[in-house]
Structures are given as C-alpha cells and as structure tokens.
Amino acid sequence: MAQTELWIDRTKCDGSRLCAELFPERIALDDWGYPIIAPGPIPGPLMAHAQKAVDSCPVLALALRRVERRPPPPPGTKAS
Amino acid sequence: MNDTILWYTTRGAGAVSLVLLSAVVVLGVLSSVRFEAPSWPRFLTTGLHRNLALTAVVFLALHIVTAVVDPFTHLGWVAAVVPFSSYYRTFWLGLGVIAIELLIAITVTSLVRDLIGHSVWRVIHWLSYASWPIAVVHGFGTGTDTWAAWMLAIDVICIGAVVVAVGARLMLRSPDPLAADRAKFRERVSRKVVK
Amino acid sequence: MTLLSLFAGPPSSAGAENFRDHTTRLGHRPRGDRALIDTLDKSGLVGRGGASFPVGVKWRSVQSRSRGSAVVIANGAEGEPLSRKDRTLMALRPHLVIDGALLAADAVGASRTLLYVGEAHGGAATAIARALAERPPAERARLNLLGAPPSYVAGEETAAVNFVNSGVAAPVAIPPRPFERGVDGRPTLVQNVESLAHAALIARFGDAWFQSLGRHHAAGTILLTVSGAVAKPGVIEVASGCSVDEVLALAGGVSGKTRAVLLGGYFGGWIRAEQAGSMALDPNGLRAAGGSLGCGVVSVLDETADPLDVSARIMQHLANESAAQCGPCFFGLRSLSAATTRIAARQADHGDLPQLHRWTAMVKGRGACRHPDGAVAFLQSALTVFEPEFTAAAGARGRRAS
C-alpha cells in the first residue's frame, strides 16, 4: 500500500493552528504559532486524523502526498 | 396534505433558517478573528460554522419546497428559481430567491474548495455579507409572523448578534501576523515597469 | 600565480570586451547540443550560484523534460552583499555570459532565454544591454533582459521564476521545482552567470582543458570576491583548489592578524584562521566534505573587528531580507537576530544564548526556501567558531547563563 506523508506549503500557512488542534500526534506548534510537522509516513490508524487536519486548514496549505523514494540530495545542494 | 401544515412548516422552517444562518455568520466572524478560549478550541468554531450552515441548507430546502407546493400561494417552481417572477408578494419573495442563490454559490464553492483554490473561494464567500441581510429583509417583507412578539424577539437577537460580530470584525486588525510585512516585501520586489 | 580563463584577454581597465574582440580572441560560439551536456559532466563544472550542484546534471534534468519549449534564466541577480563577482563578470565579459546562456538554450531545447540582472548593478546591466545590441539579429531575437529587484532572495531560483511569471520576486514552495515546472509551467534552467561563462569556454576548449586548470583533483577556475581586512579587496579569478592563504596573498595580504575567515558570504560560515589558511578552495571537494564555497566570498576578519558585532549585523540583514511569507523564517530570524544583537552589545538576557541554540534547531528546514537554513547555518558557524566570545559576552551583564 502506498505510504502518505503530510506536506505543507509554508508560503500559504498563516498560523491559524487548526491542524495542530486536530492532529497533535504529528503536528506541534513552534514559539510563534506555526506548525512543526513530524517527518515520515503516517500510519494507517492515524490517517483519518491527518485527513481532518488537511481539511481544516483555512488556506489549503496542507496536503497528503505519496512518499517518494528518492535518494537524499548531496550535502550543500539546494534540493529539499 | 393539510394546507395549514404546509403553511406553518414554511414559516417555521424560515424562522429556524434565520436563526441558524445568523449563528453561521457570527461563527464565521469568530473564525476569521481566530477566537479561542480555554474550553473552546478553534476547530469548534469552524466545525460548528460548517455544520450549522449545512443544517440551515436543509431547513431552507424544507422552507422552499413547502412554499412552492402549497396550493394557497400558487408559486410554482419557476418562482423559486427566477427572482421577482412570482405574482405572490413579488418583491419580497424575489429577495429570498436572490439570497438562496447566493447561499448556494457559497455552499457549493465551499464543498469543492480543494478544486477551485483559496482565492476564488474567498471572494465568493464574501457574498455571505450580502446574502444574510437580503434574507433578513425577505423575512420581514414576506413574513406572515413579522410583527408577532416572538418573531420580533428572534429578529432583534439575530440582527443584534450579527451587527456586533461584524462590527468587531471591522475594528480588529487582521489576525495574520505576517500580513503587513508580506505586503511590504512584495511591494519591494515587484516589477515596477511593465515591459 | 594567477591563472586566467574567464578574465583572460583585455585587462579590467579596458571595460567590457566587445563582440568583435570576443570572437577574434575566442572564435564564434559553437552549437550547443546534448553532447555538450556530456562534456560538462566530464569537466566537473559545478554551479557557482552557491549550491555547487553539477552543471551537466542540472542541464540534463531540464533537457530530459523539455519538448523544445524549455526556458533558460541566466541568474545574475547577485543579492549577496559581500559578493561582486557576477556583476564584475557581466561588466567585463558580457559576451561570455550571453554565449553560455545561448549554449544552454540550445542544449536543453529552450525557446526562451532570459538574462536576469540585478537592477542595482548598473554597470553590469549596461554592459549586457550593449553586448546584446552587438549580437547577430537571430541571437538578439532569442534573448530578453530583465532587471532583478535588489533583494537577497531575488536570486533564489523559484523567486526568479516567480518574477518572470507574476512580476513578484518572492520564493515559491516546492514541489514542483523549476526544472520540472517553472516559467509558464515549462521546464526551466536557472543557472548562475559565472557557471554559464565557464560552460561557454568548455564548449570551445573541452573538458580536459577545464580539468587541467584546477589544482590536484579540482577542476577549472573560480571567481572569488575577497573583502575585509585585506590590502586589495576585489574580485579575482584563481585556480580551483588553491588555498585561502594564496588567495589572501593575491589580495595584497591581510592588514594585521587574521582572526577568522567568512567563506561563502552571509550564506556561508566562519572558519578559524588556523584552519582557514591551508584550506583548499575547491567547490567539489568542500561539498563532499559537507562544507560549501557558496558564491565565492572570502571575507577576512582581523583582530581589530568584533566577531560578535559583525555576526549580529549579518543576522540583522538576513532577518530583514526574509520574504515574510513563512512564519518560522520571519519570526525565527527576527528572534535570533535580536538575541544575537543583545549578546553582541553585552546586554544579553540570561536566556539569550540557550535560546539561540534552541531557535536555530526550531527554524531549520521550516521555510519554503533555503533562506532560513542559510541564516541558521551561518549563525551556527559563528556560535562554534566564536564560542568563547559568545559565552563571555552572554554573561557580561553579570547574570550567569543557566
């Protein structure tokens, strides 16, 4: 089964904090009220909460994406 | 079906819709100013806003269907869709048609928000500030119970709540702490002359 | 001994080399094609914009997705305050840059080629504009000159693409990256002007020639901007792999005693004088070791300067240059900059130094672009290299760090 992870468009996120309320298992808040998303695929039992968090974002900054099996970029490059 | 039941249902569903939609507007304002309290998390505001809006749509459907099929009003379905096309209370009913059509646009765009994107959704959602007052005036104009004490009380409470909420919204700054700085930066790095 | 390849030809006092002299000296530019990409792979040329990413790999990633309608952006925005090499290169050898841009366009299958030159770099923009007018009409028709806004992040590749698409040079979240979908949704190559100039020479003289210019295993030459406590600050071209000591000697030597060297600019990091001297300036080698040459800035701090003060001012600049799109970048860099400034002023609160460590971990990786990461990496290098100074200054107010 394809694994999914949370992806966030940081330029859209405006710190409304709904995602952290609905998915505290994987989303915490930093000192300024913006989400810290734990990396890695989301286990099956938590998927419903992940979906709720994605749906709750008022600016559509969150998405669930299929995990890509990509080799890590060499150090010092601009690749994410 | 007893005509009177249809008639009372139309009026009752209309009143309930007014209360629900007023609550929806207030909750929408609370959502945009990011209201929150120790026992009232943000998702409660947004969740209620959505659920009460969908409930209001159900009551509005009841309100409209019972009005159209009621033999007393001779409305017909066209009158429910084309504004100002009914013989019965033409102007006031027409306002109701406009209000519901705006609300349908708002509801549908909210349900397919993922597909249309945030900016388009937001512009259409602002139509709610037109839809609600038009609905209120429609209620005053066509409402059989307008001058009944209980209906007046409901009107005062609903209108009062929305006026206070919208007033607060207008006076408070944008809750997005980056709004001003983002705009300043974009101004700095925008192309000045169109080639 | 200085070795010139980009700056071979007339001296800098002669100004921009015109098209006639350029073609007389070097010949007309060859045709760019996919074979050129293989040559670039073998040459070992890596990008000179800061990431040191292999140029051949980058061109191929665009070429493989292009269906003849790709886009090339020659990036001469140079928003790094300590760097002057790109504007100098464009002012003196505009035709090398234009050659490189057109070669890239041919090789990746681009239908549009844009020259993105910092609008504040008047000399460079004038030279490029004049050079464009000297080119044959067929080439002139393919090229467009754009003025990049004077901001630090305007040179970030998604910001450059966004500027072309929407007129606003603000970075955009990835994916998709420009080589996948960029200008008008088409595969876009954003390449630094120095990288393109090197490619223009490699296309003429080959990969073996480029390899031979470098020291030991390093390839080619590099442009550096030397500044700070040196007698002759400025832009120089050196063999890749030469040492920092040699570079400082070329710049007239250090006035006073070297305390530390800032390598790579505001996006780079501090190196202690003892380690810097013999360090080989080879972009590939540094990258493999987890470091970076960045955009080739070598700035010397001597004993008279206060490293905390310099670091604080750089942090302030980086914080002010945030695009204010992402909360962690804007607020994080602002908090980091304020705390660093307080420490430098010897007015630190007792929580400031631990907070620096905490906030750097909190900010890293949480912006849409790499701006906050660069700022954090710079601060971390300062905290490491100047650890004694930071600790002393943090406790200077009389309160003990807990």
Side-chain angles (χ1 to χ4, degrees), chain B residues 1-14 59 61-73 144-145:
Chain B
M1 166 148 310
N2 190 333
D3 295 349
T4 327
I5 291 182
L6 284 174
W7 188 226
Y8 281 134
T9 308
T10 305
R11 288 152 58 189
F59 274 93
L62 195 59
H63 170 73
I64 293 167
V65 168
T66 52
V68 166
V69 304
D70 189 338
F72 178 76
T73 58
T144 314
D145 307 295

Short mmCIF file of all heavy atoms in Angstrom, two decimals, chain B residues 1-14 59 61-73 144-145:
data_model
loop_
_atom_site.label_atom_id
_atom_site.label_comp_id
_atom_site.label_asym_id
_atom_site.label_seq_id
_atom_site.Cartn_x
_atom_site.Cartn_y
_atom_site.Cartn_z
N MET B 1 -52.50 16.59 1.58
CA MET B 1 -51.86 17.18 2.76
C MET B 1 -52.62 18.43 3.18
O MET B 1 -53.02 19.23 2.36
CB MET B 1 -50.39 17.47 2.40
CG MET B 1 -49.73 18.37 3.39
SD MET B 1 -47.98 18.12 3.67
CE MET B 1 -47.73 16.47 3.97
N ASN B 2 -52.79 18.57 4.45
CA ASN B 2 -53.48 19.73 5.00
C ASN B 2 -52.70 20.99 4.65
O ASN B 2 -51.51 21.09 4.93
CB ASN B 2 -53.59 19.55 6.51
CG ASN B 2 -54.51 20.59 7.12
OD1 ASN B 2 -54.67 21.68 6.59
ND2 ASN B 2 -55.14 20.22 8.24
N ASP B 3 -53.40 21.95 4.04
CA ASP B 3 -52.70 23.16 3.61
C ASP B 3 -52.05 23.89 4.77
O ASP B 3 -50.98 24.47 4.63
CB ASP B 3 -53.69 24.13 2.94
CG ASP B 3 -54.25 23.53 1.66
OD1 ASP B 3 -53.71 22.50 1.22
OD2 ASP B 3 -55.20 24.09 1.11
N THR B 4 -52.73 23.88 5.88
CA THR B 4 -52.21 24.64 7.01
C THR B 4 -50.87 24.11 7.48
O THR B 4 -49.99 24.88 7.84
CB THR B 4 -53.19 24.57 8.19
OG1 THR B 4 -54.50 24.51 7.67
CG2 THR B 4 -53.03 25.76 9.09
N ILE B 5 -50.71 22.77 7.42
CA ILE B 5 -49.42 22.21 7.85
C ILE B 5 -48.31 22.72 6.96
O ILE B 5 -47.24 23.11 7.42
CB ILE B 5 -49.47 20.66 7.83
CG1 ILE B 5 -50.41 20.17 8.94
CG2 ILE B 5 -48.09 20.09 8.00
CD1 ILE B 5 -50.49 18.66 9.04
N LEU B 6 -48.56 22.72 5.64
CA LEU B 6 -47.54 23.23 4.73
C LEU B 6 -47.20 24.68 5.08
O LEU B 6 -46.04 25.08 5.13
CB LEU B 6 -48.05 23.17 3.28
CG LEU B 6 -48.07 21.80 2.61
CD1 LEU B 6 -48.73 21.90 1.24
CD2 LEU B 6 -46.67 21.25 2.49
N TRP B 7 -48.24 25.44 5.32
CA TRP B 7 -48.06 26.87 5.58
C TRP B 7 -47.25 27.11 6.85
O TRP B 7 -46.31 27.90 6.86
CB TRP B 7 -49.45 27.50 5.69
CG TRP B 7 -49.47 28.98 5.76
CD1 TRP B 7 -50.22 29.74 6.63
CD2 TRP B 7 -48.75 29.92 4.97
NE1 TRP B 7 -50.02 31.07 6.44
CE2 TRP B 7 -49.09 31.21 5.41
CE3 TRP B 7 -47.84 29.81 3.91
CZ2 TRP B 7 -48.58 32.37 4.83
CZ3 TRP B 7 -47.32 30.97 3.36
CH2 TRP B 7 -47.69 32.23 3.81
N TYR B 8 -47.62 26.36 7.92
CA TYR B 8 -46.88 26.53 9.17
C TYR B 8 -45.43 26.05 9.02
O TYR B 8 -44.51 26.63 9.59
CB TYR B 8 -47.56 25.76 10.32
CG TYR B 8 -48.75 26.47 10.90
CD1 TYR B 8 -49.95 25.79 11.15
CD2 TYR B 8 -48.68 27.84 11.21
CE1 TYR B 8 -51.04 26.43 11.67
CE2 TYR B 8 -49.78 28.49 11.73
CZ TYR B 8 -50.96 27.79 11.97
OH TYR B 8 -52.04 28.45 12.49
N THR B 9 -45.25 25.00 8.22
CA THR B 9 -43.89 24.49 8.03
C THR B 9 -43.02 25.51 7.30
O THR B 9 -41.86 25.73 7.66
CB THR B 9 -43.90 23.17 7.23
OG1 THR B 9 -44.81 22.26 7.84
CG2 THR B 9 -42.51 22.55 7.19
N THR B 10 -43.62 26.15 6.29
CA THR B 10 -42.86 27.18 5.57
C THR B 10 -42.40 28.26 6.53
O THR B 10 -41.23 28.66 6.54
CB THR B 10 -43.72 27.81 4.47
OG1 THR B 10 -44.21 26.79 3.61
CG2 THR B 10 -42.91 28.81 3.68
N ARG B 11 -43.34 28.73 7.33
CA ARG B 11 -42.99 29.83 8.24
C ARG B 11 -42.02 29.38 9.31
O ARG B 11 -41.04 30.08 9.62
CB ARG B 11 -44.26 30.40 8.87
CG ARG B 11 -45.09 31.18 7.89
CD ARG B 11 -46.57 31.15 8.26
NE ARG B 11 -46.82 31.69 9.60
CZ ARG B 11 -48.01 31.60 10.19
NH1 ARG B 11 -49.01 30.99 9.59
NH2 ARG B 11 -48.18 32.11 11.40
N GLY B 12 -42.26 28.21 9.87
CA GLY B 12 -41.37 27.70 10.92
C GLY B 12 -39.96 27.45 10.40
O GLY B 12 -38.96 27.85 11.00
N ALA B 13 -39.89 26.78 9.24
CA ALA B 13 -38.56 26.49 8.68
C ALA B 13 -37.83 27.78 8.33
O ALA B 13 -36.61 27.87 8.44
CB ALA B 13 -38.70 25.61 7.45
N GLY B 14 -38.61 28.77 7.90
CA GLY B 14 -38.00 30.07 7.61
C GLY B 14 -37.38 30.70 8.85
O GLY B 14 -36.25 31.20 8.83
N PHE B 59 -32.98 23.13 6.22
CA PHE B 59 -34.21 23.82 6.61
C PHE B 59 -34.69 24.76 5.52
O PHE B 59 -35.89 24.95 5.32
CB PHE B 59 -33.99 24.59 7.92
CG PHE B 59 -34.22 23.73 9.13
CD1 PHE B 59 -33.17 23.06 9.75
CD2 PHE B 59 -35.51 23.57 9.64
CE1 PHE B 59 -33.40 22.25 10.85
CE2 PHE B 59 -35.74 22.76 10.75
CZ PHE B 59 -34.68 22.10 11.35
N ALA B 61 -34.30 24.21 2.34
CA ALA B 61 -34.92 23.36 1.33
C ALA B 61 -36.37 23.06 1.72
O ALA B 61 -37.29 23.15 0.90
CB ALA B 61 -34.13 22.06 1.20
N LEU B 62 -36.56 22.75 3.00
CA LEU B 62 -37.92 22.50 3.52
C LEU B 62 -38.79 23.73 3.34
O LEU B 62 -39.94 23.67 2.88
CB LEU B 62 -37.80 22.13 5.00
CG LEU B 62 -38.99 21.49 5.68
CD1 LEU B 62 -39.37 20.21 4.99
CD2 LEU B 62 -38.65 21.21 7.15
N HIS B 63 -38.24 24.88 3.70
CA HIS B 63 -38.93 26.16 3.61
C HIS B 63 -39.38 26.41 2.17
O HIS B 63 -40.52 26.80 1.90
CB HIS B 63 -37.97 27.24 4.11
CG HIS B 63 -38.40 28.65 3.90
ND1 HIS B 63 -39.40 29.27 4.63
CD2 HIS B 63 -37.92 29.61 3.06
CE1 HIS B 63 -39.51 30.54 4.24
NE2 HIS B 63 -38.63 30.77 3.29
N ILE B 64 -38.52 26.18 1.22
CA ILE B 64 -38.81 26.49 -0.17
C ILE B 64 -39.78 25.47 -0.76
O ILE B 64 -40.76 25.84 -1.43
CB ILE B 64 -37.51 26.52 -1.00
CG1 ILE B 64 -36.63 27.71 -0.55
CG2 ILE B 64 -37.81 26.64 -2.49
CD1 ILE B 64 -35.22 27.65 -1.07
N VAL B 65 -39.53 24.19 -0.51
CA VAL B 65 -40.39 23.15 -1.10
C VAL B 65 -41.83 23.29 -0.59
O VAL B 65 -42.78 23.25 -1.38
CB VAL B 65 -39.83 21.75 -0.79
CG1 VAL B 65 -40.85 20.68 -1.12
CG2 VAL B 65 -38.54 21.53 -1.57
N THR B 66 -41.98 23.46 0.73
CA THR B 66 -43.34 23.59 1.26
C THR B 66 -44.01 24.84 0.73
O THR B 66 -45.23 24.85 0.51
CB THR B 66 -43.34 23.62 2.80
OG1 THR B 66 -42.42 24.62 3.25
CG2 THR B 66 -42.96 22.27 3.37
N ALA B 67 -43.26 25.90 0.49
CA ALA B 67 -43.86 27.13 -0.04
C ALA B 67 -44.31 26.92 -1.49
O ALA B 67 -45.38 27.38 -1.89
CB ALA B 67 -42.86 28.28 0.05
N VAL B 68 -43.50 26.21 -2.25
CA VAL B 68 -43.81 26.04 -3.67
C VAL B 68 -45.01 25.12 -3.87
O VAL B 68 -45.87 25.38 -4.72
CB VAL B 68 -42.58 25.50 -4.42
CG1 VAL B 68 -42.96 24.99 -5.79
CG2 VAL B 68 -41.51 26.58 -4.53
N VAL B 69 -45.06 24.02 -3.10
CA VAL B 69 -46.16 23.06 -3.33
C VAL B 69 -47.45 23.49 -2.64
O VAL B 69 -48.50 22.90 -2.87
CB VAL B 69 -45.78 21.63 -2.90
CG1 VAL B 69 -44.53 21.18 -3.61
CG2 VAL B 69 -45.65 21.51 -1.41
N ASP B 70 -47.39 24.51 -1.81
CA ASP B 70 -48.59 24.98 -1.11
C ASP B 70 -49.58 25.57 -2.13
O ASP B 70 -49.23 26.53 -2.82
CB ASP B 70 -48.19 26.04 -0.08
CG ASP B 70 -49.34 26.42 0.83
OD1 ASP B 70 -50.53 26.22 0.43
OD2 ASP B 70 -49.07 26.91 1.93
N PRO B 71 -50.78 25.00 -2.24
CA PRO B 71 -51.73 25.49 -3.25
C PRO B 71 -52.17 26.95 -3.00
O PRO B 71 -52.55 27.64 -3.91
CB PRO B 71 -52.93 24.53 -3.14
CG PRO B 71 -52.77 23.84 -1.84
CD PRO B 71 -51.32 23.85 -1.49
N PHE B 72 -52.08 27.42 -1.77
CA PHE B 72 -52.54 28.76 -1.45
C PHE B 72 -51.72 29.83 -2.16
O PHE B 72 -52.22 30.85 -2.60
CB PHE B 72 -52.48 28.97 0.07
CG PHE B 72 -52.89 30.35 0.49
CD1 PHE B 72 -54.24 30.73 0.49
CD2 PHE B 72 -51.95 31.31 0.86
CE1 PHE B 72 -54.62 32.01 0.86
CE2 PHE B 72 -52.32 32.58 1.24
CZ PHE B 72 -53.67 32.93 1.24
N THR B 73 -50.38 29.59 -2.28
CA THR B 73 -49.53 30.64 -2.82
C THR B 73 -49.44 30.60 -4.34
O THR B 73 -49.05 31.57 -4.96
CB THR B 73 -48.09 30.52 -2.26
OG1 THR B 73 -47.59 29.22 -2.61
CG2 THR B 73 -48.08 30.70 -0.76
N THR B 144 -45.31 36.24 7.42
CA THR B 144 -46.65 36.39 7.98
C THR B 144 -46.57 36.76 9.46
O THR B 144 -47.43 37.44 9.99
CB THR B 144 -47.43 35.08 7.83
OG1 THR B 144 -47.24 34.59 6.51
CG2 THR B 144 -48.91 35.26 8.13
N ASP B 145 -45.49 36.27 10.12
CA ASP B 145 -45.38 36.45 11.57
C ASP B 145 -44.52 37.64 11.96
O ASP B 145 -44.19 37.81 13.13
CB ASP B 145 -44.74 35.19 12.19
CG ASP B 145 -45.46 33.93 11.78
OD1 ASP B 145 -46.64 33.79 12.16
OD2 ASP B 145 -44.85 33.11 11.07
#
